[in-house]
Amino acid sequence: MAMNPKNKNIKDLFPRTLVNINGEIYPPEAANISVFDRGFLYGDSVYEVTKTIKGKCLFLEEHLDRLYNSAELIAMPVLFTRAEIKKEIEKTVKALDVDQAYVRFVVTRGITPIGLDVQTEQNNMVIVVKEYPDYPAWWYEKGVSVCISSFLRNDPKATDPNAKSGNYLNNVLALLDARKKEFFDAVMTNKDGFITEGTTNNIWMIKNGEILTPPLKAGLLKGITRDKILDIMKKEKFKGGEKNFTPAEFLEADEAFFTSSTKGIVPICQINEKILQNTPGPITKKLMTSYEKLLKA
Amino acid sequence: MAMNPKNKNIKDLFPRTLVNINGEIYPPEAANISVFDRGFLYGDSVYEVTKTIKGKCLFLEEHLDRLYNSAELIAMPVLFTRAEIKKEIEKTVKALDVDQAYVRFVVTRGITPIGLDVQTEQNNMVIVVKEYPDYPAWWYEKGVSVCISSFLRNDPKATDPNAKSGNYLNNVLALLDARKKEFFDAVMTNKDGFITEGTTNNIWMIKNGEILTPPLKAGLLKGITRDKILDIMKKEKFKGGEKNFTPAEFLEADEAFFTSSTKGIVPICQINEKILQNTPGPITKKLMTSYEKLLKA
């Protein structure tokens, strides 16, 4: 039979990458985890993604805060201390030694006898650090397209989007669908018909000078870049804040953008068939400049 | 630092167990998968659980049908043929050689560069076969307790419960919560307030001689034992069928039970604080006898 060999091509797929598993560093082709890990069996894990700038993890403290918060939301004890996680991330970043790295750290509920009801006495921690090039300039200069997805975002009373967990199929399906239709990303609504978030980012619209982003109760992840933008808005006295909006209102935006820890502020130039003229707009540009300043500080 | 060693205790946690990964059989402590597998990163996988009776997988054809259906529902190509999967399951069951085995088979979207939007060109397949003892006799003789969960079941428009996928956190959380309150299992409702299913089983109630189970459109997995019971009902002219019911109606049931591929028909003797008298009731007993006959045939 023509079974696929295990871990074929991993070296090619993940160049300039190191993986730390429970404190030991492996090359990508040797970075394996037990099939009995609950992360593999049930997506029973929490994670964070950030990047390094000059060897330093961007907003690492905020990401660690959020990791512990996600774990609490899914009732998962984390037996690693904050200092341990931090030390292992820094060790792995240092070992890879590249200008700019993508950093993903995952903590799982560990290995338990098969069954859903067993609490962990041991987590597994996986840290992936890989070199990554700058994102294409056109994302920032011209903007990207999004569609309003036919997939609803998971309901907070079922699988809370504010817990950044290994249950990511909702987003995977929305994005696969968007890409098939040749959109850059999908924006999901909730059961009440309000916009929630993109598949890996928070969504913003600007109308009549007001900058709006859906409130947490719409069912979304409390983005770290989102928080930074809300801070900038307060300090620099921009109008707007957290407010629900519908797809119809989103389509009437003067400007729109999304925010993400790795990608920063990315202007949106198209929503469904609607083209937003002159992207990025003047207010988006101001925010991009302010956020750049924050990163440099 | 006191990092946990990888795969500690796996031998003890999984006695009499073998794992087939992409056609090769491993002892549990050597059954590893790449951390880049999408099953681990995103719960991006489908799976089935069945058991063997005298070395033969129960309703294997139906489970294979459902695996391919789940994969279709999450737009996941399965590059293994049905014959290949079947052959590997049978090979692993034979290698373990026990009277009664639990069989879990998982197909993941494989390994792709990190990112949500990449389609698979290669799946990974993991088959876990482990010996399992008979379930406790009291489950069947006295029945088990369930609570109505405060967790909603995932909405079919977000993460479809009819795709048996590696996104299982919704069920994990409902069950952890139920066990904390000392119930055997949790029963989840949908956003419209109707009963959907248990965390790993389908739910049934009997009222005035009618046997009812929620319809698929309530948002639940099309259980294979559920299908068999519906067949038995037709053949043996039981009254009832698929029909929505609320928690209030469920609490007023004359009899109740759940069905699962591994556990069969398990009577329910308590729903929240309400005790169901004389569990298992007469109709449940008749169904248990008919289902036993089917298994022997």
Side-chain angles (χ1 to χ4, degrees):
Chain A
M1 81 184 287
M3 278 287 170
N4 299 307
K6 220 174 107 177
N7 297 1
K8 188 187 146 199
N9 294 337
I10 289 193
K11 263 191 187 174
D12 303 335
L13 285 173
F14 303 96
R16 306 284 289 157
T17 302
L18 287 176
V19 182
N20 180 322
I21 303 178
N22 294 340
E24 276 184 55
I25 295 179
Y26 301 86
E29 65 275 17
N32 296 321
I33 192 138
S34 170
V35 300
F36 296 107
D37 182 86
R38 294 176 65 104
F40 179 72
L41 291 175
Y42 313 122
D44 196 359
S45 60
V46 293
Y47 77 102
E48 285 294 321
V49 174
T50 182
K51 63 177 177 181
T52 65
I53 297 182
K54 291 178 190 161
K56 209 170 159 283
C57 272
L58 187 61
F59 305 131
L60 183 55
E61 297 301 332
E62 288 89 336
H63 283 283
L64 286 165
D65 286 345
R66 193 168 66 182
L67 185 85
Y68 282 96
N69 186 56
S70 293
E72 205 180 309
L73 287 173
I74 69 165
M76 182 177 106
V78 176
L79 309 177
F80 297 115
T81 66
R82 194 177 173 106
E84 282 172 333
I85 299 178
K86 219 168 138 175
K87 184 180 151 197
E88 292 307 320
I89 292 171
E90 283 162 1
K91 181 172 103 183
T92 318
V93 166
K94 206 174 163 192
L96 187 67
D97 189 25
V98 294
D99 278 352
Q100 208 174 215
Y102 163 104
V103 178
R104 184 187 195 95
F105 51 108
V106 185
V107 177
T108 80
R109 209 181 303 256
I111 296 170
T112 61
I114 284 185
L116 302 181
D117 63 317
V118 189
Q119 263 301 7
T120 193
E121 290 168 21
Q122 177 190 309
N123 306 104
N124 280 317
M125 177 164 72
V126 174
I127 303 165
V128 176
V129 180
K130 65 181 178 108
E131 187 179 37
Y132 87 100
D134 283 330
Y135 289 115
W138 69 263
W139 292 7
Y140 302 94
E141 289 164 4
K142 300 194 170 171
V144 300
S145 64
V146 300
C147 63
I148 313 289
S149 184
S150 59
F151 289 95
L152 294 185
R153 187 72 181 104
N154 281 335
D155 191 306
K157 287 179 190 159
T159 306
D160 190 347
N162 197 29
K164 199 167 171 72
S165 82
N167 270 231
Y168 228 64
L169 206 44
N170 184 215
N171 311 47
V172 168
L173 292 182
L175 186 58
L176 281 175
D177 179 62
R179 290 288 164 101
K180 213 164 72 184
K181 296 170 184 160
E182 300 189 344
F183 288 93
F184 184 88
D185 199 11
V187 174
M188 289 177 277
T189 54
N190 61 26
K191 67 177 192 302
D192 301 318
F194 292 112
I195 298 288
T196 61
E197 58 185 349
T199 63
T200 56
N201 50 61
N202 289 117
I203 293 293
W204 301 74
M205 69 171 276
I206 300 169
K207 184 74 180 177
N208 300 329
E210 275 200 318
I211 308 170
L212 305 176
T213 196
L216 297 180
K217 68 173 164 34
L220 50 91
L221 183 71
K222 193 173 184 294
I224 286 163
T225 313
R226 179 181 178 279
D227 279 349
K228 299 294 172 193
I229 301 298
L230 289 170
D231 285 350
I232 288 173
M233 283 173 60
K234 263 186 208 157
K235 264 184 216 151
E236 304 189 12
K237 303 204 190 311
F238 284 93
K239 280 196 291 179
E242 295 174 277
K243 197 184 161 196
N244 272 318
F245 49 88
T246 64
E249 289 166 325
F250 188 40
L251 280 161
E252 293 303 314
D254 298 327
E255 306 176 32
F257 60 90
F258 72 68
T259 50
S260 120
S261 287
T262 50
K263 302 187 184 82
I265 299 178
V266 179
I268 292 171
C269 63
Q270 183 180 347
I271 305 167
N272 289 349
E273 302 314 311
K274 172 78 176 280
I275 308 292
L276 302 187
Q277 300 299 335
N278 306 318
T279 297
I283 298 177
T284 306
K285 269 187 195 162
K286 272 188 205 166
L287 284 173
M288 289 168 83
T289 306
S290 299
Y291 186 64
E292 271 305 307
K293 268 186 209 157
L294 179 70
L295 292 193
K296 273 175 194 154
Chain B
M1 82 183 285
M3 279 286 170
N4 298 308
K6 221 173 106 176
N7 298 0
K8 189 189 147 198
N9 294 336
I10 289 192
K11 264 190 185 173
D12 304 335
L13 286 173
F14 303 97
R16 305 284 288 157
T17 302
L18 288 176
V19 183
N20 181 322
I21 302 177
N22 295 340
E24 276 183 55
I25 295 178
Y26 301 85
E29 64 275 18
N32 296 322
I33 192 137
S34 170
V35 298
F36 296 106
D37 182 85
R38 294 176 63 104
F40 178 71
L41 291 175
Y42 314 120
D44 196 358
S45 61
V46 293
Y47 77 101
E48 286 294 322
V49 174
T50 180
K51 64 177 178 182
T52 65
I53 297 181
K54 290 176 191 162
K56 210 171 158 283
C57 272
L58 185 62
F59 304 130
L60 184 55
E61 297 301 332
E62 288 88 337
H63 283 282
L64 286 165
D65 286 345
R66 193 167 66 181
L67 185 84
Y68 282 96
N69 185 57
S70 294
E72 206 180 309
L73 287 173
I74 69 163
M76 183 176 107
V78 176
L79 308 176
F80 297 114
T81 67
R82 193 175 174 106
E84 282 172 333
I85 299 177
K86 217 167 140 175
K87 185 181 150 197
E88 293 305 320
I89 292 171
E90 283 162 0
K91 181 172 103 184
T92 318
V93 165
K94 207 172 162 192
L96 187 67
D97 188 26
V98 294
D99 279 351
Q100 209 175 215
Y102 163 103
V103 178
R104 184 187 195 97
F105 50 109
V106 185
V107 177
T108 81
R109 210 183 301 258
I111 295 169
T112 60
I114 284 185
L116 303 180
D117 64 318
V118 190
Q119 262 301 6
T120 193
E121 290 169 21
Q122 178 190 308
N123 306 105
N124 280 319
M125 178 163 70
V126 173
I127 303 165
V128 175
V129 180
K130 64 181 180 106
E131 187 179 39
Y132 87 100
D134 283 329
Y135 290 114
W138 68 264
W139 293 7
Y140 302 94
E141 290 164 4
K142 300 194 169 171
V144 300
S145 63
V146 299
C147 62
I148 314 288
S149 184
S150 58
F151 288 94
L152 294 185
R153 187 71 181 105
N154 281 334
D155 190 306
K157 287 179 190 161
T159 306
D160 191 349
N162 197 29
K164 200 168 170 72
S165 81
N167 270 230
Y168 229 63
L169 206 43
N170 184 215
N171 311 47
V172 168
L173 292 183
L175 187 58
L176 281 175
D177 179 62
R179 290 288 164 100
K180 213 164 71 183
K181 296 170 183 161
E182 298 188 345
F183 288 93
F184 184 87
D185 199 10
V187 174
M188 288 175 278
T189 54
N190 61 27
K191 67 178 192 303
D192 301 317
F194 292 113
I195 298 287
T196 62
E197 58 185 349
T199 63
T200 55
N201 51 59
N202 289 119
I203 294 293
W204 302 73
M205 69 170 276
I206 300 169
K207 183 74 182 178
N208 299 330
E210 275 200 317
I211 309 170
L212 305 176
T213 196
L216 297 181
K217 67 173 164 38
L220 49 91
L221 184 71
K222 192 173 186 292
I224 287 164
T225 313
R226 177 181 180 279
D227 279 348
K228 300 294 173 195
I229 301 298
L230 289 170
D231 286 350
I232 288 172
M233 283 173 60
K234 263 186 208 158
K235 263 183 218 151
E236 303 188 11
K237 304 206 190 311
F238 284 94
K239 279 195 292 180
E242 294 174 280
K243 198 185 160 196
N244 272 318
F245 49 88
T246 63
E249 289 166 327
F250 189 41
L251 281 161
E252 292 304 313
D254 299 327
E255 305 175 33
F257 60 91
F258 72 69
T259 51
S260 120
S261 286
T262 49
K263 303 186 184 84
I265 298 178
V266 179
I268 292 170
C269 64
Q270 182 180 348
I271 305 167
N272 289 348
E273 302 313 312
K274 172 78 177 279
I275 308 290
L276 301 187
Q277 300 298 336
N278 306 317
T279 297
I283 299 179
T284 306
K285 269 187 194 160
K286 273 188 202 166
L287 284 174
M288 288 168 84
T289 307
S290 298
Y291 186 66
E292 271 304 307
K293 269 186 207 158
L294 178 69
L295 293 192
K296 275 175 193 153

